[in-house]
């Protein structure tokens, strides 16, 4: 693992921070392309992605602190500025609220905008998870004896000496890239899931299924009926995505 890429005097360049920055750049470029396809000003992409990135990181960190309050409450400042400790769904929910407010203020067509978001979110997630892989921040899975197992002994949250675990950040990056391809294929079509919010619904279904399945390889504690918090939230978002896929509404018009 490579938690620190290099040090410029007293300023360390962390691999996680670098990959988050790359995720924002990639997401902004991909969103601009999608916005243009849906007839929305592509110049809005940078502002929306920047707002989502900053609020998402803060939301993910605060959610993580809330989840681990009994362990972290004695050193909140250290927990807030640590280089590890983020919860994806916390960031997703907070960022979604912030971007929704911005889009409504700008008068952006919410149906087209949400449909344009899917590939951007999936691509940003794929790149961001590579930051988790490089830093070894504790997002890896449980122990395994399979050939795919990896050691994170030099990570920010190290594994035990000699222990090999499922490299779940790599699994998630690969699956997220596959989701980008599927959503991009639908986006280029005039007929595939052409009604407003359907393609965003497809994104929610696919990314939720990905997260629910990967959670079976991870070590997060169960919170409801034997399922982890991420699986419970993922199941709820998957159901919401199915509603968006099935609900009748008029088609996205690109003319």
């Amino acid at each position: 693992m490579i938690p620190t890429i290099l040090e410029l005097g007293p300023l360390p360049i962390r691999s996680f921070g670098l990959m988050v920055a790359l995720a924002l750049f990639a997401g902004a470029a991909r969103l601009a392309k999608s916005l243009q396809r849906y007839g929305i000003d592509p110049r809005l992409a940078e502002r929306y992605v920047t707002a989502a990135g900053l609020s998402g990181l803060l939301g993910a960190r605060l959610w993580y602190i809330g989840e681990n309050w009994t362990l972290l409450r004695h050193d909140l400042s250290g927990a807030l500025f640590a280089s590890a400790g983020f919860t994806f769904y916390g960031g997703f929910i907070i960022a979604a609220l912030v971007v929704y407010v911005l889009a409504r203020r700008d008068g952006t067509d919410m149906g087209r905008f949400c449909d344009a978001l899917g590939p951007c979110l999936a691509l940003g997630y794929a790149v961001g998870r590579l930051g988790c892989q490089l830093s070894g921040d504790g997002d890896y899975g449980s122990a395994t004896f399979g050939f795919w197992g990896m050691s994170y002994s030099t990570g920010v949250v190290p594994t035990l000496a000699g222990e090999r675990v499922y490299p779940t950040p790599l699994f998630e990056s690969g699956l997220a890239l596959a989701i980008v391809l599927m959503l991009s294929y639908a986006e280029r079509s005039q007929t595939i899931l052409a009604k407003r919010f359907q393609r965003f619904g497809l994104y929610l279904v696919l990314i939720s299924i990905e997260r629910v399945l990967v959670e079976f390889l991870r070590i997060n504690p169960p919170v409801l009926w034997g399922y982890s918090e991420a699986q419970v939230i993922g199941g709820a978002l998957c159901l919401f995505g199915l509603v968006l896929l099935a609900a009748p509404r008029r088609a996205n018009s690109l003319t």
Side-chain angles (χ1 to χ4, degrees):
M1 300 305 104
I2 315 173
T4 302
I5 300 294
L6 55 89
E7 294 187 5
L8 300 176
L11 178 64
I13 306 299
R14 308 292 188 189
S15 56
F16 180 79
L18 177 62
M19 296 310 296
V20 167
L22 291 177
L24 294 177
F25 282 122
R30 186 62 183 82
L31 181 58
K33 180 179 179 181
S34 293
L35 290 179
Q36 187 169 30
R37 186 179 295 275
Y38 284 101
I40 301 173
D41 186 354
R43 292 175 296 181
L44 293 172
E46 184 176 346
R47 182 156 64 94
Y48 289 156
V49 169
T50 300
L54 295 177
S55 61
L57 285 173
L58 179 61
R61 176 55 59 83
L62 293 177
W63 196 289
Y64 174 80
I65 292 174
E67 288 177 328
N68 299 274
W69 177 253
T70 56
L71 297 176
L72 303 175
R73 62 189 178 92
H74 299 296
D75 185 19
L76 291 181
S77 60
L80 188 61
F81 296 103
S83 58
F86 295 89
T87 300
F88 166 69
Y89 283 124
F92 179 85
I93 292 170
I94 299 301
L97 291 174
V98 170
V99 173
Y100 173 78
V101 171
L102 288 177
R104 292 289 293 182
R105 188 188 67 181
D106 294 337
T108 304
D109 184 307
M110 292 305 298
R112 291 179 179 176
F113 177 63
C114 287
D115 288 332
L117 276 176
C120 159
L121 293 173
L123 179 59
Y125 190 69
V127 178
R129 277 304 187 198
L130 292 179
C132 298
Q133 172 67 19
L134 289 172
S135 66
D137 63 359
D139 285 336
Y140 45 77
S142 56
T144 178
F145 294 102
F147 69 89
W148 48 76
M150 294 185 65
S151 170
Y152 291 79
S153 60
T154 59
V156 174
V157 182
T159 53
L160 299 175
E163 182 183 42
R164 299 173 69 84
V165 297
Y166 288 103
T168 51
L170 288 181
F171 296 165
E172 291 200 82
S173 286
L175 291 171
L177 287 176
I179 292 172
V180 174
L181 294 177
M182 287 186 277
L183 294 174
S184 298
Y185 180 79
E187 186 178 83
R188 291 192 297 269
S189 171
Q190 297 286 334
T191 57
I192 297 175
L193 300 177
K195 294 180 180 179
R196 278 172 162 76
F197 294 104
Q198 279 192 319
R199 292 169 183 172
F200 185 63
L202 178 61
Y203 161 76
L204 289 178
V205 169
L206 293 176
I207 202 70
S208 297
I209 290 175
E210 175 271 313
R211 187 58 191 271
V212 168
L213 293 178
V214 168
E215 279 292 299
F216 285 113
L217 302 178
R218 297 183 67 196
I219 52 179
N220 291 327
V223 296
L224 183 65
W225 301 326
Y227 296 103
S228 70
E229 179 185 76
Q231 289 175 316
V232 172
I233 297 176
L237 288 177
C238 184
L239 290 175
F240 181 56
L242 290 173
V243 170
L244 293 179
L245 283 170
R249 60 181 67 87
R250 63 192 180 93
N252 275 314
S253 174
L254 303 181
T255 59

